[in-house]
Amino acid sequence: MTDHYYQSSGSEVQLFKRAAQQRVPLMLTGPTGCGKTRLVEHMGGVLGREVVTISCHDDLTSSDLVGRFMVTGGDVVWNDGPLTRAVKAGAICYMDEVVEARHDSLAVLHSLTDHRRTLYLDRAGQTVKAPDSFMLVCSYNPAYRSSLKELKPSFRQRFVTVAMRYLPAEREAEVLVAEAGVDAAVARRLVNCAIGIRKADDIFHFEPPSTRVLVTAARLVAAGATEMEAAEACILAPLSNDGAIADGLRELAAASLLDASTPTPRSTAGGIKP
Ligand SMILES: Nc1ncnc2c1ncn2[C@@H]1O[C@H](COP(=O)(O)OP(=O)(O)OP(=O)(O)O)[C@@H](O)[C@H]1O
Ligand SMILES: [Mg+2]
């Protein structure tokens, strides 16, 4: 099984292991690019289990999850969906952006996520009891949630929930070093740049730059780009189409890149015009 590098931010690895040991499902929440998917991949390696990923969307039906009858060579045969396959294989089933799925599609998960740990395939007339190694892990980004897309309390309360955040500065810089091969000083400056912008996010309310964009920026630097070019293309450009905001953030980014001796950048936030 591939070893996926994961830098821990707290007790989430322990919590994951304990949830797996107690056979309870896990819900990961957190902003884009903060390491939710990477944590699941990493834990698949740690626990020695296959990870079956299902990307949820609002057209996803319960048949897409559990399976359906299909005509193959003149015969009508039952085909397991990814959820059923994961249950039978005792895998980790990872349902990404679960909040996008409709409530009626998620209803099949109810019996699987309580003491029964059983999937009822009504159409196939089968009952599948999950082996001990089966684990359901779901994730979503609370920032994208609309009131129309609230998970039901009866669903949420079945899970151990881990609210993930961006890593502390030094650990986030270590991720950049490990993922992009840049040296520690470059990593620190890019992280410093993101921290400055994340603080300004309190004023502008955009989704702040993630560890993902920092890794991409670091990779551009590793490929020969200047730090400002990389920051512009990977950190600033995806944030906002508003020219005034972009100018303010560019000023902030340039200042943060220059001053990375401390994790906190010189405050230029006051000089930014929304
Ligand atoms: N804790 C971490 N350890 C190692 N790498 C990380 C970590 N957090 C983020 N990364 C890096 O950032 C990238 C994005 O992380 P990941 O795909 O796990 O984000 P996510 O939280 O699943 O985001 P989304 O909600 O957009 O799917 C990873 O490919 C990895 O390079
Ligand atoms: Mg993800």
Side-chain angles (χ1 to χ4, degrees):
M1 216 152 280
T2 330
D3 180 27
H4 294 274
Y5 163 76
Y6 178 75
Q7 176 72 243
S8 163
S9 63
S11 58
E12 75 279 16
V13 169
Q14 274 307 326
L15 259 171
F16 200 120
K17 280 187 191 158
R18 292 187 169 126
Q21 186 205 32
Q22 289 299 315
R23 298 179 297 283
V24 286
L26 193 74
M27 179 72 76
L28 304 174
T29 66
T32 183
C34 75
K36 301 182 292 295
T37 299
R38 184 57 74 92
L39 171 62
V40 179
E41 291 169 334
H42 172 70
M43 293 309 295
V46 169
L47 299 170
R49 295 183 201 172
E50 184 195 350
V51 176
V52 175
T53 301
I54 302 172
S55 300
C56 299
H57 51 83
D58 51 14
D59 285 338
L60 186 83
T61 63
S62 58
S63 300
D64 293 332
L65 291 173
V66 299
R68 51 169 59 87
F69 283 105
M70 288 167 106
V71 181
T72 333
D75 291 329
V76 181
V77 244
W78 174 262
N79 268 276
D80 284 341
L83 176 66
T84 308
R85 277 202 302 278
V87 173
K88 289 182 176 171
I92 294 173
C93 183
Y94 175 40
M95 297 187 63
D96 203 2
E97 281 307 324
V98 68
V99 79
E100 295 297 329
R102 294 196 317 259
H103 291 162
D104 59 316
S105 306
L106 296 179
V108 295
L109 297 175
H110 276 214
S111 57
L112 196 57
T113 46
D114 60 24
H115 61 280
R116 291 170 286 177
R117 288 179 53 85
T118 301
L119 195 56
Y120 296 103
L121 307 179
D122 297 342
R123 291 199 185 141
Q126 286 180 40
T127 297
V128 186
K129 180 104 179 95
D132 284 353
S133 62
F134 172 77
M135 181 177 189
L136 181 72
V137 181
C138 296
S139 71
Y140 69 94
N141 179 346
Y144 300 159
R145 197 182 47 196
S146 72
S147 55
L148 287 173
K149 289 190 166 168
E150 264 306 340
L151 293 170
K152 284 185 180 178
S154 60
F155 187 70
R156 274 187 278 140
Q157 292 192 19
R158 287 170 142 74
F159 290 79
V160 169
T161 299
V162 178
M164 294 175 66
R165 290 187 187 80
Y166 298 121
L167 290 163
E170 322 76 63
R171 291 193 192 179
E172 198 169 35
E174 280 176 37
V175 169
L176 271 54
V177 171
E179 294 277 285
V182 289
D183 68 40
V186 173
R188 264 201 310 276
R189 283 194 291 274
L190 290 172
V191 167
N192 205 41
C193 176
I195 290 175
I197 296 171
R198 287 174 191 160
K199 284 185 181 158
D201 169 50
D202 295 343
I203 311 168
F204 296 124
H205 307 293
F206 42 68
E207 179 89 354
S210 63
T211 309
R212 174 184 290 120
V213 299
L214 290 180
V215 169
T216 317
R219 289 173 64 182
L220 282 195
V221 173
T226 66
E227 289 168 25
M228 198 55 214
E229 275 170 346
E232 177 82 43
C234 305
I235 304 175
L236 298 173
L239 285 181
S240 168
N241 293 320
D242 183 315
I245 293 182
D247 290 347
L249 292 177
R250 191 170 302 109
E251 208 181 294
L252 180 60
S256 311
L257 285 173
L258 279 178
D259 177 19
S261 48
T262 60
T264 318
R266 283 198 299 262
S267 174
T268 53
I272 296 169
K273 293 175 191 64

